[in-house]
Each structure stands twice: as C-alpha cells, then as structure tokens.
Amino acid sequence: MKTFTIKSIILIAAISFFQNKIAAQVINWKNISKQNKHLLNVNVGAEYGVTAGLGYHHLIPVKKFPIWIGGEFSTPGGNKPADDFKVRLGAQIKIAAFNNFQFSARVQGISRRFQNQSVTLFNFGSDFAGTLGYYRKHWFLGAEAGFDKAIVTHFKHSDWYKENIYFNVQDGWYEPATGGNFYYGLQGGYSMKKVDITLKAGKLLQEDFKSQPLLPFYGQLGVNFRL
Amino acid sequence: MKKSFGIYLAFIIFSVFSSSCTKERYIDEPGNLVPKTVMEDETLPSITVNGAKLHSEAFGPEDSTLIICIHGGPGGDYRYMLNCKTLATKGYRVVFYDQRGAGLSQRFSKSWYKSQGSDAINKIFYDELKGVIAHYKIAASQKVILLGQSWGAMLATGYTGKYPNEINGLIVAEPGGLKWDDVVDYISESRSFKLWSETLNDATYIDQFMTGKEDQHEILDYKAGLMGSTNAIVGDVGSDLGNNAPSFVASRSGAVVNAASYELGQDTKPDFSAGINNFSTKTLFIYSSNNKAYPDSWATKISSAYPNKEIFKALGVGHSGMLDQVDFWTTTMEPKIISYIQSL
C-alpha cells in the first residue's frame, strides 16, 4: 500500500475546494489609476499544494491598454519552507474592452524548485492565460483559462536515492518539455479605495486532457494593496 | 544600465539553453529515471507466466519446500523482501517475483487491466500466482508456502481461499484488510497526512514539474517511487537488507497497475477472505508495533477471518520492517517463520 489512493485524492480535493482556498495576481481593471502604480499582493491558497504567496506589480499606463509588469513568489506548506518554491515574472495586459467587459492576457516566465529526500528539481517554464470578465469600480467577476508548461527541468538525485532506489539514475537537464497542465476557473473580487479582496478557483487538467494532477483543483484568496 | 541588464539576461538565457541542449534526456526513456524492465534488459532473471514476462528468481534446493514471497502494493516490488533469501540456506526453495506491471516486470496499459472486467483480480493476480507456483514446482509432493506482506498478504489469502488444498502453509504480514471496506479504511488511516505536512505537499507539488499520460509508465512509475519510499504513519523508515541486497540497486514502482487495481477494487469490491474459512491449516498472522494504522484492535479484526491461526506481534518495527530490517529478520522473524513451518 505504498501509494496514494483515489480516496486520498478525493479527500485532498474536497478539502481544498470546500475551504475556498484559492493562485496568480487577480486585478480589477476598472479600478486602476495613474496615481496608484504599485500593486502589492499577499495570498494563500491551493495550487499543487497548500501555498502562500507574495507579489508586486508595476503599472505602465499605456492609454487604453495598461500593462502590469511584476513578479510573484509562492511556497507550499511543509516543515522545510525553502525547499520548494515558485517565482513568476511577467506581464498582464488589457487587450480589449467593450463597455464593462474586458479581455486581458497574462504571460509569465516561471522558475520553480522541488526537493524531497530523493531528488532536487529545478525547472524553467511558462504560463499563458486569458481572462474575460465583467468589471465595475467596486467589484468584478471573470473566467480565466491558461496553460502552465514545464519547459526544461534539471534533476539532481540524492545519495539516498542512488543507494536505495536506483543506482544508475541520470542527473542533468531533461528536455523536451517534462510536463504541462491546463487550468480554467472563475475569479472575482471586491474593491475598496486602495484595497482589493480577490478570490479565484478552478480546475487543473494535464496536457493529455485526460489525466489529472493529484490535487486537481486550484484556488486563491488574495488581498491587493494599491500604492 | 539598461544595456548591461540586457546583456546579463541574454547570457543567462544562453547559458541555460546551451547547457540544456548539450545532450537530450527524455524523462520517458527507460533507464534514465527508472531502471529498465525485463522487456528492455535481457540480463535480468525472468520467467514468462500467464502471458506476461515477470522479473523473478529463486534460491535454494529446487525440490525442497517452496516459499513464495509475495510483495505489497499493488505496484511494489520484491526487493524489500530479499532478507527472506536466507531461508534458502536453511533448506527451502525461496521464490521471488515482481507482479505483472510492478517492479521490473512487463508493463501493461491501464485499459488492459480494466478490460479484465468483474473477474479481474482472479485473471490478473490469482492466475499469475498459480503460474509462478507451477513454474517452480517440480514435484507433486513439493509443499507450497505463501509468504505475503501488505497487499501481498491480501493476495496470498485470496489465493489460499480459492485453492485451499494446494497450499501447505500461509504467512501473512499485515494485510490492510480482506473485505473491500476494510481495505479502504486501512488505506485512509495509513495515508492520513496533515494538510500542511511536507509529505502531502511533496506529493502534490511535483505535478507541475512533470506529467505523464495514462500509459507513460516510466514517468508515472518515477513519480510513484518518489512518493512511496518512507511513511512515518506505518513506521516504514527505508529497507535495510544487509548482505541480502543485490549487487546493484534497481527498484521501481508500478504506478499503472496500482491505479488500475484500486479502480478495479472500487468497481468490483473484492472479498479476499472468500473461502479462507476452508483453510484449516494454521496461518501465521504477523503485525507490527510501529504501524500506527494497525493497532491491536485492527489486527484482531482482520485476523478473525482465519479459522486456525497464530498471531505474532513484531515489536520495534513497522509495516515493511518485519521483513526489510536485516537485524530484526535475523534475530526474530526468520526463527519465527522456521518455527512455524516446522510446526505444520
């Protein structure tokens, strides 16, 4: 009985779903101004684990198509806080607007690390997403869909792994791409003068459109501070 | 400033991708992240049984009492049971085999397992065990003793219940459950990791680094192996095989057979205790003190299915430690098993 079970997967998914814990910066495009060009974000949620994150974005006010550029850092739960983490750098841009409906796109480069007693992984990836939403000054609601690709990954196995599991395991950079997951879901939020409270939740699906990650949902509860 | 930043960024990107392009390594290529199976490595000991090429070997006099070692999982391998090899020096014929789809045995697609229908457990596992026994049994009078651990104990029990007159002794070490509801309860208890725990988050976090399609065995087996090495709840700390270990380390999980088996279990709700009431020979039932998911009350409940049994509590070891800790094996378990066999 050395592996996870369907029941465990359901349990993990149910806990994450019903706790409404929810992951990347959610922006109210209708509530931005040239006076508040800095956006700080703190969040907790579930994204391939129970996570906590920090983000910073800077507004480049290009007339009708404002761009937020910045980055986010997140780490999952566990008693070794620095062994796993994810850093995303990129931009979110408003592409089209019709009355209160707006369509925006997000393009991010990702670097992330995973470590357990067997292996240390370091990966470079990308994240492309689109969001179509209805935005008002004090609230917004939207639907998002995106693709997270693990482009190239470095594997470095521990002595323990080589002594106990597989002596001839090959360390080094693995390519072509080692993985990819689609995600889709809903996001929304309530905006006050300089603070947004945001929520998003959705589902994850592996690139074969059939398999699911062990934790097949994501979610994030976040707070934006506009400075 | 902007120019120097651009040069720096270009250097980093060039460094990463030039180093990554020096030699292409595929995560789904046998031998890279997981060892090759008997299908790719002809030097591995193997037998062909019931339409599958199995990683298998045997030690001891060919015509003496057979002790068939049945590993856990589904989807484990026999490597952690190799301390049992010393029974060969005591005059027994000790047989090891990796079940179909597990360890270094041949892989099959998930759809193949699912296509076996309501009689899948019988067609996949019982018929395979029957074939293994038939392969190594060279005389009608040769006695057969099954020694199963965890899932292997469930399988051994189910097989003995089905063929009670063909088995001369049964040793079961912590079968999780015999009726399906008990199996599910035990699994839930033995995998009840805390939400914020390192173990649980390690298990889920890796899914963004590598993904495998339904039948990409190399990827799925690798990920399963990363998760299943140790488990504090059941008291597993990693195997200690001493001189019984093979000269090289090559262990591999069977993720597809594992997932397919659980799905088949959910669909068919098998009863591994069926027919065991017809097995009147004494069964040696072993459980461990360090497995928090297997308290005395659980051992009493599960062992109640065996009409004639001797219950033995292994002190100071966990779920796999009964067999995979060389000191405990030498001082306690091997003498206990020999004593049991001699009492039959």
Side-chain angles (χ1 to χ4, degrees):
Chain A
M1 309 257 174
K2 294 194 169 185
T3 55
F4 281 78
T5 66
I6 295 164
K7 191 167 180 179
S8 303
I9 294 166
I10 293 168
L11 185 69
I12 295 164
I15 289 169
S16 62
F17 188 76
F18 287 113
Q19 286 194 342
N20 275 334
K21 287 186 174 178
I22 334 231
Q25 207 118 314
V26 180
I27 291 170
N28 184 349
W29 292 97
K30 204 78 177 183
N31 197 3
I32 56 178
S33 72
K34 291 177 182 175
Q35 283 71 45
N36 303 133
K37 289 184 178 177
H38 306 281
L39 195 68
L40 275 175
N41 171 268
V42 291
N43 61 71
V44 291
E47 188 188 10
Y48 306 104
V50 179
T51 59
L54 275 174
Y56 169 77
H57 285 74
H58 178 75
L59 177 66
I60 300 177
V62 185
K63 275 203 165 178
K64 291 183 178 177
F65 305 102
I67 304 173
W68 288 95
I69 59 168
E72 299 157 38
F73 171 87
S74 65
T75 182
N79 51 15
K80 300 171 194 162
D83 64 340
D84 311 318
F85 65 79
K86 177 158 57 180
V87 175
R88 291 189 257 221
L89 297 173
Q92 297 188 56
I93 181 170
K94 186 166 80 177
I95 292 177
F98 180 73
N99 293 331
N100 292 315
F101 287 95
Q102 307 205 18
F103 178 70
S104 61
R106 187 177 71 239
V107 181
Q108 291 179 307
I110 299 175
S111 63
R112 49 195 154 198
R113 184 178 189 269
F114 168 91
Q115 185 177 47
N116 70 0
Q117 70 169 345
S118 300
V119 69
T120 301
L121 305 181
F122 192 80
N123 165 266
F124 289 105
S126 62
D127 188 344
F128 299 96
T131 303
L132 178 64
Y134 183 79
Y135 294 85
R136 301 299 296 265
K137 189 170 177 63
H138 291 294
W139 64 275
F140 64 98
L141 187 65
E144 72 167 353
F147 183 53
D148 175 349
K149 186 79 176 171
I151 298 172
V152 58
T153 304
H154 186 268
F155 288 68
K156 172 70 179 168
H157 292 84
S158 65
D159 290 341
W160 181 90
Y161 188 84
K162 292 172 183 170
E163 288 164 8
N164 292 281
I165 306 295
Y166 181 33
F167 77 110
N168 199 30
V169 65
Q170 301 296 302
D171 287 337
W173 290 98
Y174 276 70
E175 57 165 342
T178 56
N181 290 300
F182 291 100
Y183 58 90
Y184 55 91
L186 296 173
Q187 57 175 246
Y190 178 75
S191 301
M192 292 166 277
K193 194 173 181 183
K194 289 195 171 182
V195 176
D196 304 322
I197 296 171
T198 64
L199 200 62
K200 72 176 191 176
K203 200 169 183 316
L204 292 158
L205 200 58
Q206 291 185 11
E207 58 189 339
D208 65 352
F209 289 108
K210 286 168 72 180
S211 313
Q212 291 184 336
L214 191 60
L215 185 61
F217 297 96
Y218 69 93
Q220 184 191 71
L221 173 63
V223 181
N224 295 338
F225 300 95
R226 276 174 272 113
L227 309 171
Chain B
M1 179 67 185
K2 280 183 180 175
K3 191 177 177 183
S4 61
F5 177 75
I7 293 170
Y8 180 63
L9 189 64
F11 175 75
I12 290 173
I13 293 169
F14 176 77
S15 301
V16 167
F17 286 96
S18 60
S19 64
S20 70
C21 294
T22 50
K23 183 186 176 187
E24 286 192 344
R25 283 197 182 90
Y26 295 88
I27 57 173
D28 58 351
E29 186 174 317
N32 275 351
L33 295 176
V34 291
K36 294 175 180 175
T37 68
V38 289
M39 302 304 287
E40 296 112 17
D41 185 350
E42 293 288 329
T43 66
L44 292 168
S46 67
I47 60 174
T48 299
V49 161
N50 197 30
K53 192 173 182 182
L54 306 180
H55 178 221
S56 178
E57 57 191 331
F59 304 90
E62 289 186 7
D63 57 349
S64 60
T65 296
L66 285 171
I67 299 177
I68 313 288
C69 298
I70 309 172
H71 66 73
D77 65 15
Y78 70 68
R79 192 174 182 278
Y80 76 102
M81 300 184 82
L82 281 172
N83 282 326
C84 303
K85 194 165 70 175
T86 60
L87 290 167
T89 64
K90 308 297 189 296
Y92 301 101
R93 177 73 166 164
V94 188
V95 174
F96 300 94
Y97 75 103
D98 286 339
Q99 294 154 28
R100 173 191 297 251
L104 304 183
S105 288
Q106 184 179 354
R107 264 43 184 178
F108 289 82
S109 69
K110 193 173 185 181
S111 59
W112 181 86
Y113 291 104
K114 301 283 282 190
S115 70
Q116 301 306 301
S118 58
D119 201 25
I121 300 293
N122 187 39
K123 289 180 182 169
I124 300 167
F125 297 111
Y126 295 164
D127 285 356
E128 177 178 271
L129 178 52
K130 195 174 183 62
V132 171
I133 294 170
H135 179 89
Y136 286 105
K137 188 171 178 174
I138 59 171
S141 60
Q142 202 170 3
K143 291 182 177 176
V144 177
I145 292 169
L146 301 183
L147 193 173
Q149 188 268 347
S150 192
W151 149 250
M154 295 157 58
L155 171 53
T157 303
Y159 185 87
T160 306
K162 187 173 171 65
Y163 304 107
N165 298 322
E166 296 180 17
I167 300 302
N168 305 98
L170 177 62
I171 304 166
V172 291
E174 287 188 352
L178 297 175
K179 296 184 184 299
W180 185 249
D181 287 347
D182 290 338
V183 175
V184 171
D185 286 348
Y186 175 73
I187 292 168
S188 301
E189 193 67 27
S190 61
R191 299 285 166 185
S192 55
F193 302 113
K194 291 176 181 163
L195 194 60
W196 290 96
S197 70
E198 188 76 23
T199 306
L200 183 58
N201 283 287
D202 276 350
T204 55
Y205 207 63
I206 196 172
D207 278 336
Q208 61 191 306
F209 291 79
M210 55 193 303
T211 53
K213 294 175 185 171
E214 199 170 74
D215 291 319
Q216 285 187 304
H217 297 280
E218 287 75 18
I219 300 171
L220 301 175
D221 292 352
Y222 176 74
K223 289 173 73 175
L226 291 183
M227 287 195 291
S229 307
T230 59
N231 180 347
I233 295 173
V234 303
D236 279 353
V237 294
S239 61
D240 179 8
L241 301 174
N243 293 332
N244 301 302
S247 58
F248 60 90
V249 179
S251 183
R252 179 167 167 178
S253 297
V256 171
V257 67
N258 177 271
S261 298
Y262 283 119
E263 287 179 26
L264 286 167
Q266 294 281 23
D267 294 343
T268 62
K269 309 232 177 320
D271 178 5
F272 298 97
S273 66
I276 197 65
N277 56 319
N278 297 320
F279 184 64
S280 56
T281 306
K282 185 170 69 177
T283 296
L284 177 60
F285 183 97
I286 310 165
Y287 71 109
S288 66
S289 66
N290 291 4
N291 184 349
K292 294 171 192 157
Y294 220 102
D296 293 347
S297 58
W298 192 256
T300 302
K301 179 179 178 176
I302 302 304
S303 65
S304 66
Y306 304 92
N308 181 10
K309 73 250 177 192
E310 176 185 353
I311 298 176
F312 178 71
K313 185 173 184 177
L315 300 175
V317 290
H319 188 55
S320 303
M322 297 175 280
L323 303 178
D324 77 1
Q325 298 302 303
V326 66
D327 288 344
F328 187 78
W329 169 260
T330 305
T331 60
T332 308
M333 214 63 254
E334 186 192 50
K336 186 71 200 171
I337 286 173
I338 291 173
S339 166
Y340 163 73
I341 295 172
Q342 289 174 342
S343 74
L344 296 174

